[in-house]
Coordinates of all heavy atoms in Angstrom, one line a residue:
Chain B
M149 N -14.5 -10.3 -2.7 CA -13.5 -11.2 -3.2 C -14.0 -12.7 -3.0 O -13.8 -13.5 -4.0 CB -12.1 -11.0 -2.5 CG -11.0 -11.7 -3.2 SD -9.4 -11.3 -2.3 CE -9.7 -12.5 -0.9
L150 N -14.5 -13.0 -1.9 CA -14.9 -14.3 -1.7 C -16.1 -14.7 -2.6 O -16.2 -15.7 -3.1 CB -15.5 -14.4 -0.2 CG -14.4 -14.3 0.9 CD1 -15.0 -14.4 2.2 CD2 -13.3 -15.4 0.7
E151 N -17.0 -13.6 -2.9 CA -18.1 -13.8 -3.8 C -17.6 -14.3 -5.2 O -18.0 -15.2 -5.8 CB -19.0 -12.6 -3.9 CG -19.8 -12.4 -2.7 CD -20.5 -11.0 -2.8 OE1 -20.3 -10.2 -3.7 OE2 -21.2 -10.6 -1.8
R152 N -16.5 -13.5 -5.6 CA -16.0 -13.7 -6.9 C -15.4 -15.1 -6.9 O -15.4 -15.8 -8.0 CB -14.9 -12.7 -7.3 CG -15.4 -11.3 -7.4 CD -16.4 -11.2 -8.7 NE -17.7 -11.4 -8.1 CZ -18.7 -12.0 -9.0 NH1 -18.5 -12.2 -10.3 NH2 -19.9 -12.2 -8.5
H153 N -14.8 -15.6 -5.8 CA -14.2 -17.0 -5.7 C -15.3 -17.9 -5.8 O -15.2 -18.8 -6.6 CB -13.5 -17.0 -4.5 CG -13.0 -18.5 -4.2 ND1 -13.3 -19.1 -3.0 CD2 -12.3 -19.3 -5.0 CE1 -12.8 -20.4 -3.2 NE2 -12.1 -20.5 -4.2
A154 N -16.4 -17.7 -5.1 CA -17.5 -18.6 -5.2 C -18.2 -18.7 -6.6 O -18.6 -19.8 -7.1 CB -18.7 -18.1 -4.2
A155 N -18.1 -17.5 -7.3 CA -18.6 -17.6 -8.7 C -17.6 -18.1 -9.7 O -17.8 -18.0 -10.9 CB -19.0 -16.1 -9.0
N156 N -16.4 -18.5 -9.2 CA -15.3 -19.0 -10.0 C -14.8 -18.0 -11.1 O -14.4 -18.2 -12.0 CB -15.7 -20.3 -10.7 CG -14.5 -21.1 -11.1 OD1 -13.5 -21.2 -10.3 ND2 -14.5 -21.8 -12.2
D157 N -15.0 -16.7 -10.6 CA -14.6 -15.5 -11.4 C -13.2 -15.1 -11.0 O -13.0 -14.2 -10.3 CB -15.7 -14.4 -11.3 CG -15.2 -13.2 -12.0 OD1 -14.2 -13.2 -12.8 OD2 -15.8 -12.1 -11.6
L158 N -12.2 -15.6 -11.8 CA -10.8 -15.3 -11.4 C -10.4 -13.9 -11.6 O -9.8 -13.3 -10.8 CB -9.9 -16.3 -12.1 CG -8.4 -16.1 -11.7 CD1 -8.1 -16.4 -10.2 CD2 -7.5 -17.1 -12.5
D159 N -10.8 -13.3 -12.7 CA -10.5 -12.0 -13.0 C -11.1 -10.9 -12.1 O -10.5 -10.1 -11.5 CB -11.0 -11.6 -14.5 CG -10.2 -12.2 -15.5 OD1 -8.9 -12.4 -15.3 OD2 -10.7 -12.6 -16.6
G160 N -12.3 -11.3 -11.6 CA -13.0 -10.4 -10.6 C -12.4 -10.6 -9.3 O -12.2 -9.6 -8.6
Y161 N -12.1 -11.9 -9.0 CA -11.2 -12.0 -7.8 C -9.9 -11.3 -7.7 O -9.7 -10.6 -6.7 CB -10.9 -13.6 -7.7 CG -9.9 -13.9 -6.7 CD1 -10.1 -14.2 -5.4 CD2 -8.6 -14.0 -7.0 CE1 -9.2 -14.5 -4.4 CE2 -7.6 -14.4 -6.1 CZ -7.9 -14.5 -4.7 OH -7.0 -15.0 -3.8
Y162 N -9.2 -11.2 -8.8 CA -7.9 -10.4 -8.9 C -8.2 -8.9 -8.6 O -7.4 -8.3 -7.9 CB -7.3 -10.7 -10.2 CG -6.4 -11.9 -10.3 CD1 -6.4 -12.7 -11.4 CD2 -5.6 -12.3 -9.2 CE1 -5.6 -13.8 -11.5 CE2 -4.8 -13.4 -9.3 CZ -4.8 -14.2 -10.5 OH -4.0 -15.3 -10.4
I163 N -9.3 -8.5 -9.2 CA -9.6 -7.1 -8.9 C -9.6 -6.7 -7.5 O -9.0 -5.8 -6.9 CB -10.9 -6.6 -9.8 CG1 -10.6 -6.7 -11.3 CG2 -11.3 -5.3 -9.3 CD1 -11.8 -6.5 -12.0
Y164 N -10.5 -7.5 -6.7 CA -10.7 -7.2 -5.3 C -9.5 -7.5 -4.5 O -9.1 -6.9 -3.6 CB -11.9 -7.9 -4.8 CG -13.2 -7.4 -5.3 CD1 -14.0 -8.1 -6.2 CD2 -13.6 -6.1 -4.8 CE1 -15.2 -7.6 -6.7 CE2 -14.8 -5.6 -5.3 CZ -15.6 -6.3 -6.3 OH -16.7 -5.6 -6.7
N165 N -8.7 -8.6 -4.9 CA -7.5 -9.0 -4.3 C -6.5 -7.8 -4.4 O -6.0 -7.3 -3.4 CB -7.0 -10.2 -5.0 CG -5.6 -10.6 -4.4 OD1 -5.5 -11.0 -3.3 ND2 -4.6 -10.5 -5.2
R166 N -6.4 -7.3 -5.6 CA -5.5 -6.1 -5.7 C -5.9 -4.9 -4.9 O -5.0 -4.2 -4.3 CB -5.6 -5.7 -7.2 CG -4.8 -4.4 -7.7 CD -3.3 -4.7 -7.6 NE -2.6 -3.4 -7.7 CZ -2.0 -3.1 -8.8 NH1 -2.2 -3.8 -9.8 NH2 -1.4 -1.9 -8.9
Q167 N -7.3 -4.7 -4.8 CA -7.8 -3.6 -4.0 C -7.3 -3.7 -2.6 O -7.0 -2.6 -1.9 CB -9.3 -3.5 -4.0 CG -9.8 -2.7 -5.3 CD -11.3 -2.7 -5.4 OE1 -12.0 -2.8 -4.3 NE2 -11.8 -2.4 -6.6

Side-chain angles (χ1 to χ4, degrees):
Chain B
M149 191 183 78
L150 293 180
E151 285 171 3
R152 293 300 87 211
H153 174 233
N156 206 36
D157 170 14
L158 186 55
D159 290 324
Y161 166 83
Y162 274 140
I163 290 171
Y164 287 111
N165 178 64
R166 172 70 188 265
Q167 276 185 14

